[in-house]
């Protein structure tokens, strides 16, 4: 797996063997960034990559245009791979990693910016997107106008919490990408 654009284009991202972590493929990441380039967004947005796994979406954003990012995942192995990828790219000064459950986060710490760009790619078939979205919005993790990129399995239904406005919905094989605007 590689970064598909920006400063680190072509650099390899390490991913674990097996099927426990399902990183967003190069093809889908490229498509996602082509889509969001058409949306108005903060200059050099701050990114939150929830259920980050290896960190591929947040790292792609840092390579292209983001000023900083927070990566959150409750899996220890996922966070080890994410931190290793951050270290290899030399991005430790622009990132924060939290080994935590996105659906159970407390209030956003004052030292972190609210996210202008949100990526959520939870495990499939567990209906975690609405819970995570509600938690992040209620606990101050999202900036007004944040662009939200949500990944789920094809055919999944999404009952988004109040404050999220659907903007785009596309399917790539078995993957569904939903773009929303917060507030």
């Amino acid at each position: 797996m590689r970064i598909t654009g920006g400063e680190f284009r072509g650099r390899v991202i390490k991913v674990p063997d097996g099927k426990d972590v399902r990183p967003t493929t190069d093809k889908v990441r490229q498509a996602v960034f082509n889509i969001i380039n058409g949306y108005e967004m903060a200059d050099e947005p701050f990114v939150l990559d929830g259920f980050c796994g290896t960190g591929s979406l947040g790292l792609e954003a840092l390579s292209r245009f983001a000023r900083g990012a927070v990566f959150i995942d409750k899996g220890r192995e996922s966070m080890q791979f994410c931190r290793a990828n951050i270290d290899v790219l030399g991005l430790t000064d622009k990132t924060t990693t939290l080994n935590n459950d996105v659906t159970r986060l407390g209030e956003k710490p004052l030292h972190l910016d609210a996210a202008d760009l949100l990526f959520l790619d939870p495990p499939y078939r567990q209906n975690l997107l609405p819970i995570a979205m509600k938690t992040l919005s209620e606990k101050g993790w999202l900036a007004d106008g944040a662009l939200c990129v949500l990944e789920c399995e094809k055919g999944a239904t999404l009952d988004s919490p109040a404050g999220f406005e659907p903007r785009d919905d596309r399917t790539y094989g078995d993957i569904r990408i939903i773009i929303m605007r917060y507030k």
Side-chain angles (χ1 to χ4, degrees):
M1 177 158 299
R2 298 181 183 277
I3 300 286
T4 64
E7 178 182 356
F8 302 112
R9 181 182 181 152
R11 295 281 299 270
V12 174
I13 299 173
K14 295 183 181 208
V15 298
D17 294 331
K19 297 184 180 189
D20 291 340
V21 176
R22 177 193 33 75
T24 303
T25 65
D26 296 358
K27 178 182 173 185
V28 173
R29 263 185 295 112
Q30 181 71 45
V32 163
F33 281 87
N34 287 341
I35 294 166
I36 66 175
N37 280 338
Y39 284 91
E40 188 173 314
M41 209 175 356
D43 288 338
E44 297 184 353
F46 187 77
V47 173
L48 190 155
D49 189 348
F51 307 99
C52 68
T54 61
S56 64
L57 289 164
L59 293 170
E60 187 80 41
L62 286 165
S63 177
R64 292 169 181 256
F65 51 65
R67 75 176 179 276
V70 60
F71 295 86
I72 306 171
D73 200 300
K74 72 177 185 177
R76 270 183 219 235
E77 183 181 28
S78 292
M79 287 311 300
Q80 288 173 343
F81 274 90
C82 182
R83 288 179 180 129
N85 288 328
I86 289 167
D87 289 345
V88 164
L89 296 174
L91 293 170
T92 54
D93 61 329
K94 291 185 171 188
T95 60
T96 300
T97 58
L98 301 174
N99 197 190
N100 207 329
D101 184 343
V102 178
T103 66
R104 296 172 187 241
L105 289 174
E107 296 292 325
K108 180 190 73 59
L110 294 176
H111 72 277
L112 290 176
D113 291 343
D116 304 300
L117 178 59
L118 170 68
F119 295 107
L120 288 178
D121 181 10
Y124 287 177
R125 295 172 206 37
Q126 295 182 30
N127 201 33
L128 296 174
L129 278 174
I131 300 164
M133 294 162 68
K134 184 175 183 197
T135 298
L136 293 170
S137 65
E138 288 178 351
K139 301 296 183 177
W141 289 85
L142 301 177
D144 285 345
L147 192 61
C148 306
V149 179
L150 315 170
E151 183 176 328
C152 58
E153 70 275 12
K154 176 181 163 182
T157 57
L158 175 62
D159 296 322
S160 60
F164 291 87
E165 180 183 309
R167 295 294 175 98
D168 202 342
D169 193 328
R170 302 185 190 201
T171 302
Y172 301 92
D174 293 333
I175 299 169
R176 180 177 177 202
I177 299 292
I178 304 163
I179 310 288
M180 292 193 171
R181 182 72 75 179
Y182 175 64
K183 291 189 181 178

